[in-house]
Structures are given as C-alpha cells and as structure tokens.
Amino acid sequence: MAHLGSRRGRALALPVGLALTASLGFLPSGAASAAELSDAPAATVAATNGPKLSYVVNVGDGRKTAASVKKAIAAAGGEVVISYDQIGVIVVHSQNPEFAKTIRKARGVVSAGSTRTAPLSVQSDNAIGGGTQVLTEAEAKAAAARATDEQDALEPLQWDLPAIKADKAHKKTLGSKRVTVGVIDTGVDDTHPDLAPNFNAKASANCVSGKPDTTAGSWRPQTGESDHGTHVAGTIAAAKNGIGITGVAPGVKVAGIKVSTPDGFFYTEAVVCGFVWAAENGIAITNNSYYTDPWMFACKNDADQGALIEAVTRASRYAERKGTVNVAAAGNSNFDLAADSIVDNSSPNDSTPGGRVIDPKECLDYPAMLPGVVTVSATGAKGLKASYSNYGKGVIDIAAPGGDRTAYQTPDAPATNGLILSTTVNGGYNYKAGTSMASPHAAGVLALLKSTFPKAGPATLKALLYAQADKRACTNPYDINGDGKIDAVCEGGKNKNGFYGVGLIDALDAVRP
C-alpha cells in the first residue's frame, strides 16, 4: 500500500497524511564489570574544538560512583547539566569530539552516548507529525444543533467516545480530580477553555533542556510550535462543561510536560527528565505520543544509541516503580514490528539520514516498546486497524481509536470526519489522526480505572485495562484501501493478535467497581 505522506514526523500523529513507528527491548541496567572499567584518567587536556553536543552518561550504583564519574566528565571536557542520581543518568554538554569514547573508559560508567547528531545550536526541521484538518464553522454549528443536553457542543462529532463506550461511562463518573495524567509531548496550552478547568500547573514543567523548568507557562507551546500536545491533552481530559469537546476522562487532571524542541525534536535527555518529573510529582499515568530522536530505531549494539535506550529505560522503570503507568503510541508507518527486518530510511533525522535494514528486536523505537510500557495501536471509525498503524504479534498490547482517512473508515452520523477531533492552541479545535491520538484514549481509560480503584498500582491497572478490553479477532484479508492488494497481515487469535493486542479499550468497564 502506498503510504499517505511517506515522511515521518517526530510526534506520532499524522493528521491528514500518515507515517511513523515503534519497537521492543532494553539494555540491562547495572554496574559495569571490573574488566570494563579503567583506572586511567580522562585526557589531561580535553579538546574543545568540536560541535557542542548533548550526552547521557549512565553510571553504576551508588552516589560515590556518580561523584567519581562527574570528576571524570569534567576532565574529559564535559559540563554536567543535571545529574539524576536516583537512576544513575547524567546529562552532559561537551565540545570534545572524543568525549563519549573517553568517558566510557572511566570507572563507574556503564554506557554513554550523544543524544543527537546535530549541534545544540542547529535545528533544521520543524515538521511534527504531518498536517491537520480544520473544524469548519458549518460543522461546529451543525454539531451544536444536534448535541443533547448531556453532550458538549461538539461531542456529536466525536465518534471515538461511543466506540469505547466513554459516553456511557460518563453517566457513572467523569473521573477523579485526584488523578493526574502527564502529557509528555510538545507542550500543552492550558489557557484553552476546555483544558483550563482540569489543568494541574503544579505537576507541569518544561524538560526540553534535560533539566525541569517550572516557570509559569513554560510548559506551553510557543507561537509557531506544534499543537500536538494540546490535542492529546484534550482527548484525555477536556472538561465536560457545555462547550467544545469531551475528554475520555473529563473529571481528571492533566499536566503538561514539554519535551520537544521548537523544531519538534524529542531528544533523550528531555524524555528522561519527563519520566523522572512524572515519577516525583504524583502523576498516575503518562502519555507518550512520539519516538525519541534522532533514531527511528535505536540499536542496542551501537555504543551511542544503546546508551540512549538505557537512559530512557531507567527513567521509565523508575516512574513505574513510583506508581506511574506509562502509555505510548505504536507508530504510524504500517510496520510489522514483529518482522525479522525493517527498512529505516529516516535515521538520523537531525542531520543526514541513511537507509539501513534493522532488526526490530535489536533496534528499538523507544519509549513505546520499553519494558512495562503500554503500547497502543490505532483503529478507525469502523473499528479496523488504521491504515498507517504499526502492528506486530507480541508487540502491540491494546488498541484504541486513532482515526483514519474518512474514505477508508467513514463514521456513522452525526460524525462526519474519520479523524479525531480535539483541542488546539488559542482556544480552537481541529482533527488529527495517528497512533498519537490512540494512545491518549488508552491513557484516559487508565485514568478512569485509577479513579475507580485509587489504591491500585501500575501492575493492577494494566491488568484491569487488558482484562476489560473488548476482544477483536484478526482482520484478514486486510485491504484497507480496496485496491485488491493486501496491506498487512494480522497474526494471532481473538484473545491476542498483532493488530489489536488484547482488544479495544473499554471505558465503561473501567468505571464499574
């Protein structure tokens, strides 16, 4: 099948066009063996004539180890931005071209790698997730005229709510204000009238540098930046207040954790900061609708790329140990993530990409397929796998509405558009599609579960989410555009398969104590 928009953006939404990804695996965490360590000090005079890059340095256990490594970092020409001693990850800037190679030899260092291939001062791409379809004034007026007394004005256009029985769930509960979902994304415009009532500013921050900035409003997208995170936030928790749309869990709180640069890059140090911030600020669920740049698939056997996977793995595991459920979008490239090989033509995306064939068991799209993360595929208005959604037996955990081309999966009236309607910046609303839009539906259902079972931990919440899912058998043959060619092959049975995992999320079951 020809992809709709072959160019993959950083955030996993591709409103009108379609393209993106995810994968599996992690590096073992722990101290390096004695054979891997060196007593030799870093170079006496570190070079400083290279481009300024950002690095993560992963260290073994113990604060003494971290302190020793920090001295080695300085000797190697590095400047510590922040040290997350609770997970043994240090964020560093350096202009020493040999910094990574040098610091890997230091005693106590498990792995280290550059988080990017372009200098910190260079940002050359502002594409994030494809295009957007605007909600017309005529559509808005028609929807408002059809809305019942129980519905918000634009809710008749939200086919995704009845698809997961969220409309029925709302008759029982809207969720608890004690539950906060963290949107790790491009920022959230908390001034939106549909988000302001449910926004948790105390749990919000800007993590773009790798170090949290809690300045008021720092979590918002600035002029010209993507509305992606604002759209995601609306799907989760837009207030049921008579205006606009309704979120899956319209009574819970949402926090903005900004991790995307102005040009739309989600770098490792920012993602690590996002998970640690969530872990330590009472966030029950995080939504992650992106892949970590600059590698569509980061390979564990590469010294730099492997270190990036290690850092985010440590951070996401730490968040789960602290009580947070992490949810992530599976990606929008129509890849079989259980295949033996995948062609990656877009990495590294911050400099000069080169085509390569990777093994998705060894080269990972993170954080989507890190241990413990709930990986979500997308369905359209007819309940079929969305044309763009990644899939894979044993990789996809669960499915949720992400939208699809209206021509492929047309919603029942009164809805008119097959994409997902949600909030945008400056108080507006628009349509997008992608696994970016599917993941927040699952995060919203988890928020309802946490509201219903406030003492439940991550393992219990995930078990309930999976047990309550509506089972969905494989869709074979799968010819979504009707051109006579098979577009994907689903493997597995009704209870769990490559297209839908354990099935479609169910909001109504989530609110039944």
Side-chain angles (χ1 to χ4, degrees):
M1 179 182 109
H3 283 293
L4 311 176
S6 59
R7 195 163 176 279
R8 174 176 172 173
R10 259 112 335 263
L12 298 193
L14 59 191
V16 183
L18 313 163
L20 291 159
T21 317
S23 269
L24 175 64
F26 61 97
L27 292 179
S29 175
S33 68
E36 296 171 313
L37 301 176
S38 172
D39 288 316
T44 304
V45 179
T48 58
N49 60 343
K52 189 174 185 180
L53 294 177
S54 180
Y55 298 82
V56 286
V57 179
N58 304 312
V59 305
D61 296 334
R63 291 186 180 272
K64 288 185 178 180
T65 299
S68 173
V69 171
K70 288 172 191 175
K71 292 180 181 178
I73 287 170
E79 176 187 357
V80 174
V81 175
I82 188 170
S83 181
Y84 292 106
D85 292 343
Q86 59 273 61
I87 60 172
V89 176
I90 305 173
V91 178
V92 179
H93 289 170
S94 179
Q95 288 184 260
N96 178 5
E98 298 296 313
F99 176 79
K101 290 181 181 179
T102 302
I103 202 62
R104 287 178 196 132
K105 298 176 183 177
R107 179 171 295 278
V109 173
V110 176
S111 60
S114 174
T115 67
R116 62 195 70 201
T117 62
L120 282 164
S121 60
V122 175
Q123 295 171 336
S124 59
D125 188 342
N126 55 17
I128 302 181
T132 297
Q133 287 185 3
V134 177
L135 174 70
T136 67
E137 185 176 352
E139 286 178 307
K141 287 182 177 179
R146 301 191 68 161
T148 67
D149 291 341
E150 296 178 341
Q151 291 181 312
D152 281 348
L154 300 179
E155 195 172 338
L157 300 177
Q158 292 183 269
W159 59 264
D160 48 311
L161 295 184
I164 61 172
K165 305 170 200 165
D167 53 337
K168 295 179 179 178
H170 295 163
K171 295 178 180 179
K172 294 180 174 292
T173 181
L174 301 181
S176 171
K177 64 181 180 181
R178 296 182 179 88
V179 174
T180 296
V181 181
V183 178
I184 301 179
D185 212 295
T186 64
V188 174
D189 181 3
D190 57 303
T191 68
H192 194 293
D194 238 354
L195 297 177
N198 290 338
F199 194 75
N200 185 343
K202 290 183 179 180
S204 298
N206 184 322
C207 272
V208 174
S209 70
K211 182 178 181 179
D213 174 8
T214 58
T215 304
S218 63
W219 51 77
R220 295 173 192 147
Q222 299 304 303
T223 302
E225 292 184 349
S226 172
D227 68 342
H228 186 272
T230 303
H231 196 280
V232 165
T235 295
I236 295 168
K240 198 165 184 62
N241 54 0
I243 64 170
I245 65 159
T246 301
V248 173
V252 308
K253 296 292 185 180
V254 67
I257 306 174
K258 187 176 181 178
V259 298
S260 170
T261 69
D263 289 337
F265 291 104
F266 295 71
Y267 286 119
T268 296
E269 65 269 29
V271 174
V272 167
C273 173
F275 280 121
V276 174
W277 176 265
E280 298 184 345
N281 286 275
I283 290 174
I285 299 105
T286 67
N287 185 83
N288 302 271
S289 291
Y290 58 90
Y291 73 92
T292 309
D293 294 300
W295 307 97
M296 178 184 280
F297 292 93
C299 297
K300 292 186 288 186
N301 60 359
D302 179 275
D304 281 293
Q305 297 168 39
L308 309 186
I309 299 169
E310 172 74 11
V312 177
T313 298
R314 291 184 180 196
S316 63
R317 281 176 159 172
Y318 178 69
E320 183 158 0
R321 289 197 302 272
K322 287 286 191 175
T324 304
V325 182
N326 301 308
V327 186
N332 307 340
S333 296
N334 194 30
F335 283 152
D336 180 357
L337 297 174
D340 293 332
S341 64
I342 290 174
V343 177
D344 175 9
N345 286 322
S346 68
S347 299
N349 61 15
D350 63 349
S351 56
T352 305
R356 58 178 185 161
V357 178
I358 61 92
D359 178 355
K361 299 178 187 65
E362 299 295 328
C363 299
L364 321 174
D365 187 341
Y366 65 104
M369 292 308 299
L370 294 182
V373 174
V374 178
T375 307
V376 187
S377 65
T379 57
K382 294 302 183 187
L384 304 176
K385 183 189 91 70
S387 57
Y388 54 81
S389 180
N390 286 348
Y391 59 100
K393 184 181 179 183
V395 179
I396 300 302
D397 292 315
I398 202 163
D404 205 350
R405 282 189 173 180
T406 306
Y408 292 173
Q409 300 193 55
T410 306
D412 294 335
T416 57
N417 193 307
L419 310 189
I420 303 297
L421 181 64
S422 191
T423 47
T424 185
V425 295
N426 301 321
Y429 302 87
N430 61 25
Y431 290 98
K432 297 184 190 295
T435 54
S436 274
M437 283 61 255
S439 180
H441 283 84
V445 171
L446 280 162
L448 292 176
L449 278 167
K450 183 67 174 177
S451 300
T452 306
F453 304 98
K455 295 182 179 181
T460 299
L461 293 173
K462 287 189 286 186
L464 288 168
L465 179 74
Y466 298 152
Q468 294 173 357
D470 294 334
K471 304 303 180 186
R472 184 141 306 186
C474 275
T475 305
N476 285 321
Y478 179 79
D479 175 18
I480 194 67
N481 58 358
D483 66 355
K485 297 179 181 179
I486 300 301
D487 298 316
V489 176
C490 179
E491 296 182 347
K494 186 175 182 179
N495 290 331
K496 190 165 188 180
N497 58 63
F499 276 13
Y500 310 110
V502 296
L504 186 70
I505 57 171
D506 188 321
L508 181 58
D509 281 351
V511 300
R512 290 170 172 160

